[in-house]
Amino acid sequence: MVRYSVLKDHYELEKTIGCGGFAKVKLATHILTGEKVAIKIMNKLNLGDDLPRVKLEIKALKSLSHQHICRLFQVIENETHCFLVMEYCSEGELFDHIVERNKLNEEESRSFFRQIVSAVAYLHSVGYVHRDLKPENVLLDTDQVVKLIDFGLCAKPKGGLNSHLATSCGSPTYAAPELVVGKVYLGAEVDIWSMGVLLYALLCGCLPFDDNNIDRLYRKILSGNYDEPEWLSLGSKQLIRAMLQVDPKKRITMDKLMRHPWVTAGGLGLVIKDSGNLHAIDEECLDVMARHYGRTAADLREELTQWRYDGVTATYLLLVTRKRRGLALRLTAPPRSRLNLGPSTTTCVETTPEGKENRRRGAKRLRSPGLGDESPVPTKQGRCSRTLTPVAATPSRTPTSARKVLGSIERGLTRMRHMLTPRVRDDQPTVLEGRALRNVSTTSSRNPEHVLGQLRHALDSKGIPCKQRGFTLRGKVATPKLSFELEVCLVPVAAMQSPLVGVLRKRLSGDIWCYKRVCEEVLALAAST
C-alpha cells in the first residue's frame, strides 16, 4: 500500500495479527536479518487526543530495557502514519492462555506472575508506573516468556514514585479503589492492586470484581469483598488479600511482594528485577554489521550507542535476538555503506554460533521464517534498505530496460497465479491443525451443519444478533460493547476416522471478560440443544 511505502525496503508486511481502537498490528519480516517482527501501525489523523499517549509510549520504550518488557526495535514516521517496530510474541496474549485452560494451576501461575513482578519492579526502580496492568497487556513469546506491553498510560512522576498522580486511567475491572473515587494516588500502589486482580484471574479464570453495570462494579471494588474459590491454597489467598487491600497504605509493597513466601515457593528465591545491561554492545554482532556495511567497528559502535531506534538500531537488536536463540548471525541484503558510496558486489557474511564464517558471492537473501525457519506466508521478492542505499546484486548489472521487462513479466505471472488459485469456499468448513487449534473447542459431533445450527439457536436464545458467512457467525453485544466470531471448523483425528467438528473462537473488539463469559454460555447452550 502507498501509505506504507516507507516500510517496503526494510520490512515485508504479512498478515494483520491485532487491531485496536486507533492502531493495527501486522506481522512482518525484517529484510536484512530475516527476523519476524510486529509492527504497530497508527494513523496520526485518527489519533486525536491519543497522540500524547503514543509519544509517551515511544519515550518510555526507548528508555526501558528488560527481558520481560516487549522490546522496541525501530520508530518510523511519515506525514500520516507512525510505525513502531516491536518484538514479535508468537503465543499472543496471556488472556488467551487463561481462556484456553479456563484457569491455571499454582505452578504455572507462579511462573508467569514472577516474570510480571520482575518487569513491574524494574519499571518502578527506574521511576515509571504502568497504570494499565491486565492479561491483555501481557504477551507470551515462543518459549512462554512474559513480555509486558502497552505503555500508553504509563507515567514517570517528576518527584519520583512518592509523588502523587491525579489522572484517573486504566481498565475499570483492574482499577484500585483510590482511582474509582477520584483521589490523588501513588502509581506504584495502583500497580500492586492491578497485579492482585491479575493474579486472581490467573488462578481462578475470572475477575474478583465484575459486573456489567459500572456503578455496581465500582461499589464492589470499594467494598473489597470478593469470592475465594475453595481450590485456592492458603498462601495464594493470603497474597491476593495483601494486594487487594482497599486502603493503599495497608497494601503490600513491591519489596515485600518480591520476597513473599508464595512467590518464592519451590526454592525459586527472591524475584530479580534487574535484567543486566541489555544496552551493552555485543562485539560479535557489531563485527558482522561492520563487515557487511564496510564500516569500522568503532564508527558503528559510536552510532549504535546513540540509540536512535532507526534502521541501524533495529538491525543490531535483531542480530542480538538471533544470537540469543542460538541462530547464525547473518545479514543477507546487499546495502551500500553509508561511508563508502561506491558500488560493490554482494557478499553474504554468516557467522555460526561456533564462530565459523561463511562467505558467498551473489547469494540470495535468506529469510527467517520467524520462530523456526518456516514462514507462515509466501515470500515476496524484497529490496535493499532505503536508509542504506542498495548496490549491485551481481558484479555485472542488469540493464534498466531489461529489469523493467523482467519486472513486468513477474507481475503478470503473479496476477495469473492469483487468478488460478482457488478461493476458499464458504460452503465447506475449514480444516484446522497445529497452532490454529489453540482457541478451538471440540465437539462430539461429526456434522458441521448441525453444530452451526446449534450455535445460531444458542445466540438467538441469548438475544445476540449475528451475521453468517459460510460457517462463520459474527455476533455483537451492545453492553458492554463486544464483537466476536465463532467459526465451525474440522479437527483431524486418527486415520480412517472422519474429523471432529470444532468451534474456533475469536474476539474482534470489546471487553475480554464479557467475551469469555459469552463464549462459555453460548457453547454450553449449543451443547445442550
Side-chain angles (χ1 to χ4, degrees):
M1 295 182 180
V2 174
R3 61 184 180 273
Y4 300 159
S5 60
V6 68
L7 300 175
K8 71 176 183 179
D9 291 336
H10 309 284
Y11 299 94
E12 289 182 354
L13 291 180
E14 300 177 7
K15 61 183 179 180
T16 298
I17 55 177
C19 289
F22 57 84
K24 69 171 62 174
V25 181
K26 282 187 171 288
L27 178 65
T29 299
H30 181 248
I31 292 175
L32 283 175
T33 62
E35 285 293 298
K36 296 296 181 186
V37 295
I39 302 183
K40 186 175 182 179
I41 303 173
M42 293 165 284
N43 188 324
K44 292 180 179 179
L45 302 178
N46 296 336
L47 287 175
D49 295 339
D50 286 312
L51 183 57
R53 283 184 54 191
V54 174
K55 292 182 177 179
L56 179 64
E57 180 175 14
I58 294 172
K59 181 180 178 180
L61 288 171
K62 284 183 176 181
S63 64
L64 299 173
S65 178
H66 192 273
Q67 71 269 29
H68 297 307
I69 294 177
C70 197
R71 195 74 188 262
L72 175 69
F73 295 139
Q74 185 174 2
V75 180
I76 303 173
E77 287 191 63
N78 59 18
E79 291 182 357
T80 58
H81 287 78
C82 179
F83 306 88
L84 301 188
V85 182
M86 306 285 296
E87 184 176 358
Y88 172 52
C89 300
S90 63
E91 294 301 303
E93 297 175 0
L94 178 59
F95 171 76
D96 291 328
H97 193 76
I98 298 171
V99 171
E100 182 183 0
R101 290 160 175 76
N102 192 35
K103 60 183 176 67
L104 308 184
N105 60 41
E106 284 209 3
E107 183 179 355
E108 191 173 14
S109 296
R110 182 180 293 108
S111 174
F112 288 139
F113 190 68
R114 282 176 59 89
Q115 296 175 66
I116 295 168
V117 170
S118 176
V120 178
Y122 164 78
L123 273 180
H124 292 180
S125 72
V126 295
Y128 280 97
V129 290
H130 191 279
R131 300 198 297 181
D132 197 20
L133 295 170
K134 53 187 178 181
E136 309 95 284
N137 287 340
V138 179
L139 301 183
L140 300 175
D141 70 8
T142 187
D143 297 318
Q144 299 283 291
V145 174
V146 160
K147 302 287 182 176
L148 194 60
I149 64 167
D150 200 346
F151 289 82
L153 295 179
C154 75
K156 190 175 186 180
K158 292 182 180 179
L161 293 188
N162 290 325
S163 299
H164 285 88
L165 299 168
T167 305
S168 182
C169 58
S171 302
T173 49
Y174 293 85
E178 55 267 38
L179 286 173
V180 170
V181 297
K183 292 181 178 179
V184 294
Y185 59 90
L186 295 179
E189 292 174 350
V190 302
D191 276 354
I192 294 290
W193 174 279
S194 298
M195 292 167 69
V197 178
L198 201 157
L199 178 58
Y200 186 98
L202 286 171
L203 290 166
C204 303
C206 60
L207 292 168
F209 312 104
D210 193 17
D211 202 291
N212 290 336
N213 182 284
I214 194 70
D215 291 330
R216 289 197 297 266
L217 170 63
Y218 284 161
R219 285 197 293 270
K220 289 179 180 180
I221 292 172
L222 292 173
S223 74
N225 296 322
Y226 57 88
D227 293 330
E228 291 184 336
E230 59 183 15
W231 65 76
L232 287 179
S233 69
L234 178 61
S236 60
K237 289 179 182 178
Q238 290 174 340
L239 177 56
I240 292 171
R241 288 173 196 161
M243 301 173 78
L244 298 183
Q245 286 289 323
V246 173
D247 183 352
K249 300 308 174 188
K250 295 180 180 178
R251 216 168 286 159
I252 190 172
T253 64
M254 181 59 75
D255 286 340
K256 291 182 178 178
L257 178 59
M258 293 167 65
R259 53 174 54 91
H260 189 277
W262 187 89
V263 174
T264 60
L268 295 176
L270 175 71
V271 172
I272 304 299
K273 64 184 176 185
D274 295 327
S275 60
N277 187 4
L278 296 184
H279 277 152
I281 299 298
D282 184 287
E283 295 298 326
E284 189 177 6
C285 295
L286 179 69
D287 184 56
V288 170
M289 290 181 66
R291 281 178 287 152
H292 184 71
Y293 295 143
R295 302 175 61 175
T296 66
D299 176 59
L300 195 56
R301 182 186 291 105
E302 182 179 354
E303 182 173 347
L304 279 171
T305 52
Q306 295 179 35
W307 297 106
R308 296 171 179 162
Y309 289 91
D310 55 8
V312 174
T313 304
T315 300
Y316 168 75
L317 291 175
L318 287 165
L319 274 179
V320 172
T321 299
R322 287 186 63 84
K323 183 175 180 179
R324 286 180 184 148
R325 289 163 49 206
L327 300 177
L329 299 183
R330 67 189 186 202
L331 294 176
T332 54
R336 183 166 40 165
S337 167
R338 288 183 176 180
L339 298 181
N340 176 15
L341 299 180
S344 63
T345 58
T346 302
T347 301
C348 172
V349 179
E350 179 172 323
T351 303
T352 63
E354 292 75 23
K356 296 179 180 179
E357 180 183 302
N358 299 309
R359 293 176 180 263
R360 292 174 288 130
R361 291 199 173 271
K364 292 183 179 180
R365 179 172 60 79
L366 299 176
R367 285 178 55 89
S368 146
L371 301 173
D373 272 320
E374 299 288 332
S375 176
V377 298
T379 61
K380 296 188 290 184
Q381 183 64 37
R383 286 189 258 174
C384 304
S385 169
R386 223 182 242 174
T387 304
L388 303 172
T389 310
V391 299
T394 61
S396 57
R397 297 179 63 89
T398 304
T400 301
S401 59
R403 289 200 303 273
K404 288 182 178 179
V405 171
L406 291 173
S408 176
I409 293 173
E410 182 179 354
R411 287 191 295 273
L413 290 173
T414 299
R415 286 195 295 269
M416 182 64 71
R417 184 176 69 249
H418 289 319
M419 291 172 61
L420 296 177
T421 301
R423 296 181 178 181
V424 177
R425 294 178 57 185
D426 289 337
D427 60 345
Q428 295 293 329
T430 304
V431 179
L432 298 181
E433 294 183 279
R435 283 186 180 176
L437 295 172
R438 187 168 59 187
N439 291 321
V440 171
S441 299
T442 56
T443 71
S444 58
S445 175
R446 307 274 177 167
N447 186 333
E449 288 83 3
H450 174 66
V451 174
L452 184 64
Q454 289 178 308
L455 287 175
R456 284 203 67 102
H457 177 74
L459 288 167
D460 290 341
S461 300
K462 294 284 296 178
I464 299 175
C466 68
K467 295 182 179 179
Q468 180 178 344
R469 180 178 178 181
F471 282 81
T472 300
L473 299 173
R474 176 172 291 190
K476 285 190 175 181
V477 177
T479 306
K481 288 186 177 180
L482 171 67
S483 177
F484 64 96
E485 283 184 351
L486 299 175
E487 179 185 354
V488 176
C489 56
L490 299 179
V491 180
V493 289
M496 305 303 292
Q497 293 186 28
S498 58
L500 289 174
V501 178
V503 179
L504 175 63
R505 312 176 302 274
K506 183 178 181 181
R507 178 174 64 97
L508 302 177
S509 63
D511 185 87
I512 62 167
W513 292 100
C514 176
Y515 160 75
K516 180 177 184 292
R517 186 166 55 248
V518 166
C519 285
E520 289 172 347
E521 292 173 358
V522 168
L523 291 174
L525 276 173
S528 64
T529 57

